[in-house]
């Protein structure tokens, strides 16, 4: 188990380093950062001065090493637009995004798992077909559009919920639904497939033969085993969700990290964009690492692969 | 058999239907696949013949006829789906928008398909270090937030149809690589592959004529998934204002433009969203259907 964890940790660190290099390279894709910083009216000398001030005149690899060492200390430099440390900007905004992500994954699990279990208990029944239809339809619906439709119906027409902002729990209801529905089809399908698999296994048949009540068979024996892969999928989806929050936050004007990313991209604020790509990637890397370790702990067969 | 003489009825009963007949029966018996294929076919037809089908020029503005409602909301037949805030015919823009979506879906899926399949098949076939490198690259790619990276790169390079297509193509290869690697692992030790090697077939030949045909069904399914994925992503990028730029008639952009008028004219948001939904649903239905039909034993 320890070897597995160490190997997996090494991989996670390597992936993180590679991602950091890629997000750093974005700066150079953008052309001359010094010219962009100095502004359109700057003279050649001004640009040179900015280049030296920010250290853009050094070799790229040196700049990367420098950036990386700072980033490890959670120092991502200063935002071009806000003129504030990027790290504090992100920390300020992360709580909204994390709240949204946690609400989203909780809501997705609470709706998709029962639906998947119900569908697996009676394959090809009405409920199974409804669940299948919902998952196929859910995957095809553009999330930004779904969000707008919710706003039109529940905020504008019915006036039940606030359309934008993050000042009360009610503000999070629609964003949570929009963020969650995208993860629901995958969770539902995996729960259904896992339950179908487990329900036809020997130990479930044994439990039934012993005369165990059906509820006990379903939840104590079957769901407990079927849920293992769902847990790791949920961790992965949580990582995706944080990345996907950029769309949701911009629709509902939730001022979280996703919204910050959108603003920074539109304003060409590269240090902030780089840092956000890195931070979102880190969340994904940490979540998948935890999911893999959890999986290996719950299911020893996974450790060898 | 060289002759195509009809079989003796008795013999036909024993032999059963041919694989082709069985396939045809499975395709025709699959409602989802048929429905998806018909809808996709219609949308493809609309996209190809857009100049003949569109009642107006999708770029022609008219200050006299701004924000006219669709027919079902009391508008007239001159503009069946009304006009937008610049007086452009909504139906015509919708029709040309099909071109943008399908083009982006097809080309982005093609680019990512070439990258991902090359990586996945090499990893599965050669194993060892190649496999390690490819698996690592897949991990790196999965760790990067797609929407964020795509937005940032498109913003840096400037939003145009070509840039969006290339960026999406370069980002969406992960599923191709994962699925093609797994499929190749499944077939690479089969007897027919060993036989091809035994008669001295070269590695490219083994891959192209023994491996590829046997994993093609999985490839087609991933192509449909990634087409749908690319279309939705383009719409999201354009909606956020950092994808395809105005005045291109992109459905995502139309939703974004309609957003400001959403309070009074919700149809401006509803209509492009519905067609986007229908297109992606049709592609997904075709993908799911093809998976069921080509590998009925894997049906969940």
């Amino acid at each position: 188990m320890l070897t597995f964890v160490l190997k997996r940790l090494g991989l996670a660190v390597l992936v993180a380093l590679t991602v950091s290099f890629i997000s750093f390279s974005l700066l150079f894709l953008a052309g001359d950062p010094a010219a962009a910083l100095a502004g359109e009216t700057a003279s050649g000398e001004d640009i040179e001065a900015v280049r030296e001030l920010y250290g853009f005149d050094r070799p790229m690899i040196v700049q990367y090493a420098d950036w990386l060492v700072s980033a490890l200390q959670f120092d991502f430099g200063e935002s071009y637009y806000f003129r504030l440390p990027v790290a504090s900007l992100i920390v300020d905004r992360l709580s909204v995004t994390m709240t949204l992500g946690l609400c989203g994954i909780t809501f997705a699990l609470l709706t998709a798992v029962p639906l998947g279990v119900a569908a697996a208990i009676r394959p090809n029944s009405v409920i199974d077909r409804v669940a299948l239809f919902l998952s196929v339809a859910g995957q095809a619906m553009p999330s930004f559009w779904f969000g707008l439709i919710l706003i039109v119906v529940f905020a504008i027409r019915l006036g039940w919920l606030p359309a934008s902002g993050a000042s009360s729990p009610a503000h999070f209801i629609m964003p949570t639904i929009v963020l969650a529905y995208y993860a629901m089809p995958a969770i539902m399908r995996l729960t259904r497939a896992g339950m179908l698999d487990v329900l036809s296994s020997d130990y479930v048949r044994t439990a039934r033969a012993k005369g165990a009540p059906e509820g006990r068979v379903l939840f104590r024996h079957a769901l407990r085993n079927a849920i293992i892969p769902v847990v790791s999928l949920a961790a992965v989806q949580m990582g995706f969700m944080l990345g996907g929050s950029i769309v949701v936050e911009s629709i509902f004007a939730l001022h979280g990290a996703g919204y910050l990313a959108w603003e920074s991209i539109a304003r060409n604020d590269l240090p902030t964009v780089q840092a956000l790509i890195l931070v979102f990637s880190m969340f994904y890397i940490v979540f998948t690492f935890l999911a893999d370790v959890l999986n290996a702990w719950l299911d020893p067969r996974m450790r060898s692969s | 058999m060289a002759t195509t003489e009809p079989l003796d009825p008795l013999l036909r009963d024993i032999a059963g239907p041919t694989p082709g007949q069985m396939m045809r029966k499975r395709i025709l018996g699959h409602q989802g696949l048929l429905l998806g294929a018909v809808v996709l076919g219609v949308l493809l037809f609309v996209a190809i013949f857009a100049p003949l089908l569109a009642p107006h020029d999708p770029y022609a503005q008219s200050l006299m006829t701004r924000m006219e409602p669709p027919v079902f909301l009391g508008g007239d037949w001159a503009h069946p789906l009304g006009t937008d805030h610049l007086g452009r015919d909504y139906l015509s823009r919708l029709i040309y928008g099909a071109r943008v979506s399908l083009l982006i879906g097809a080309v982005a899926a093609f680019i990512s398909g070439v990258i991902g399949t090359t990586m996945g098949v090499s990893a599965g076939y050669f194993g060892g270090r190649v496999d390690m490198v490819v698996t690592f690259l897949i991990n790196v790619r999965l760790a990067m937030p797609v929407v964020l990276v795509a937005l940032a790169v498109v913003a840096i390079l400037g939003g145009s149809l070509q840039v969006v297509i290339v960026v999406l193509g370069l980002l969406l290869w992960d599923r191709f690589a994962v699925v093609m690697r797994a499929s190749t692992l499944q077939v690479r030790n089969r007897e027919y592959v060993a036989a091809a090697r035994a008669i001295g077939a070269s590695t490219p030949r083994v891959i192209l004529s023994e491996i590829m045909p046997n994993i093609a069904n999985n490839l087609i399914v991933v192509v449909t998934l990634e087409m749908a994925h690319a279309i939705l992503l383009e719409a999201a990028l354009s909606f956020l204002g950092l994808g395809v730029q105005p005045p291109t008639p992109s459905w995502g952009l139309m939703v974004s433009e309609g957003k400001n008028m959403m309070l009074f004219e919700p149809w401006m948001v509803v209509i492009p969203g519905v067609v986007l939904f229908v297109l992606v649903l049709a592609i997904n239905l075709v993908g799911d259907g093809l998976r069921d039909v080509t590998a009925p034993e894997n049906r969940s």
Side-chain angles (χ1 to χ4, degrees), chain A residues 22-46:
Chain A
I22 294 173
S23 60
F24 179 78
S25 318
L26 276 181
L27 188 75
F28 290 86
L29 193 64
D32 189 352
L37 255 180
E40 280 170 24
T41 54
S43 66
E45 280 170 35
D46 293 343

Side-chain angles (χ1 to χ4, degrees), chain A residues 8 11 14-15 18-19 22-23 26-27 29-31 133 136-142 144-145 148-149 151-152 156-157 182 189 192-193 196 240 243-244 246-247 250-251 261-262 265-266 268 270 273 276-277 280-282 284-285, chain B residues 136-137 139-149 151-153 155-157 225 229 232 235-237 239-242 251-252 255-256 259 262-264 266 269-274 276-278 280-282 284-285 288 291 300:
Chain A
R8 191 58 191 74
L11 178 67
L14 271 181
V15 169
T18 314
V19 170
I22 294 173
S23 60
L26 276 181
L27 188 75
L29 193 64
F133 174 77
V136 173
Q139 275 172 336
M141 195 152 54
F144 61 91
W145 183 70
L148 290 178
I149 297 298
I151 291 179
V152 169
I156 298 176
R157 288 287 147 97
Y182 203 72
R189 284 180 179 208
R192 180 180 177 274
L196 277 178
F240 280 131
I246 184 166
V247 175
S250 71
I251 298 170
W262 183 49
I265 289 170
N268 242 329
L270 278 168
V273 177
L276 281 165
I277 292 177
F280 281 127
S281 306
M282 285 309 137
Y284 179 87
I285 292 169
Chain B
F136 180 72
L137 289 176
N139 274 313
V140 171
R141 165 50 207 85
L142 284 173
M144 315 240 304
V146 184
V147 182
L148 192 52
V149 174
L151 274 176
V153 177
I156 288 170
L157 298 178
L225 283 173
H229 195 180
L232 282 177
L237 297 188
F239 171 77
L240 290 171
L242 292 161
W251 293 341
V255 173
S256 167
K259 191 178 65 164
M262 193 169 74
L263 192 57
F264 306 107
V269 167
V270 173
I271 292 173
V274 168
L276 196 52
F277 173 71
V278 168
V280 175
L281 187 64
N284 282 344
L285 283 176
D288 283 358
R291 185 184 50 211
S300 62

Side-chain angles (χ1 to χ4, degrees), chain A:
Chain A
M1 182 71 196
L2 186 67
T3 351
F4 173 82
V5 172
L6 287 177
K7 261 192 190 164
R8 191 58 191 74
L9 189 66
L11 178 67
V13 170
L14 271 181
V15 169
L17 279 175
T18 314
V19 170
S20 77
F21 185 72
I22 294 173
S23 60
F24 179 78
S25 318
L26 276 181
L27 188 75
F28 290 86
L29 193 64
D32 189 352
L37 255 180
E40 280 170 24
T41 54
S43 66
E45 280 170 35
D46 293 343
I47 296 175
E48 275 316 306
V50 171
R51 199 189 308 279
E52 241 168 76
L53 181 68
Y54 281 83
F56 293 136
D57 49 349
R58 298 169 300 162
M60 180 179 169
I61 197 79
V62 176
Q63 291 185 50
Y64 167 66
D66 196 38
W67 180 77
L68 185 67
V69 170
S70 310
L72 286 175
Q73 296 156 14
F74 215 65
D75 170 12
F76 296 106
E78 195 179 74
S79 155
Y80 292 171
Y81 179 80
F82 292 100
R83 302 283 166 192
L84 286 169
V86 172
S88 70
L89 272 176
I90 293 179
V91 170
D92 281 349
R93 305 289 194 98
L94 264 184
S95 67
V96 170
T97 303
M98 291 302 283
T99 312
L100 186 59
L102 281 175
C103 291
I105 198 70
T106 311
F107 184 75
L109 285 171
L110 286 180
T111 47
V113 170
L115 205 57
V117 172
I121 294 173
R122 302 236 163 109
N124 291 321
S125 65
V126 176
I127 194 156
D128 188 23
R129 282 170 188 279
V130 169
L132 184 68
F133 174 77
L134 285 179
S135 80
V136 173
Q139 275 172 336
M141 195 152 54
S143 58
F144 61 91
W145 183 70
F146 183 46
L148 290 178
I149 297 298
L150 287 184
I151 291 179
V152 169
V153 175
F154 292 101
I156 298 176
R157 288 287 147 97
L158 298 170
W160 290 352
L161 293 166
S164 63
S167 48
S168 78
H171 284 92
F172 282 91
I173 295 178
M174 289 197 288
T176 298
I177 295 172
V178 175
L179 197 58
Y181 94 89
Y182 203 72
M184 280 158 56
I187 296 176
M188 208 271 314
R189 284 180 179 208
L190 194 62
T191 310
R192 180 180 177 274
M195 279 298 275
L196 277 178
D197 202 31
V198 171
L199 282 176
S200 62
S201 68
D202 289 342
Y203 58 84
V204 166
R205 199 175 330 131
T206 311
R208 280 195 176 131
K210 282 194 313 187
E214 188 62 19
R216 196 183 153 88
V217 172
L218 283 179
F219 295 101
R220 283 288 300 268
H221 296 273
L223 185 60
R224 264 181 126 184
N225 286 291
I227 205 85
I228 295 176
V230 176
V231 171
S232 73
L233 177 70
V236 174
Q237 292 284 350
M238 176 85 188
F240 280 131
M241 270 187 186
L242 292 174
S245 65
I246 184 166
V247 175
V248 177
E249 286 179 12
S250 71
I251 298 170
F252 294 99
L254 281 172
H255 287 242
Y259 196 84
L260 179 66
W262 183 49
E263 287 177 303
S264 312
I265 289 170
R267 286 170 181 150
N268 242 329
D269 189 354
L270 278 168
T272 317
V273 177
Q274 284 176 331
L276 281 165
I277 292 177
L278 193 60
V279 168
F280 281 127
S281 306
M282 285 309 137
F283 275 116
Y284 179 87
I285 292 169
V286 170
F287 282 130
T288 45
F289 171 71
L290 291 178
D292 281 1
V293 172
L294 187 68
N295 247 343
W297 182 56
L298 291 170
D299 187 347
R301 283 171 300 180
M302 302 290 289
R303 289 175 209 169
S304 56
S305 64

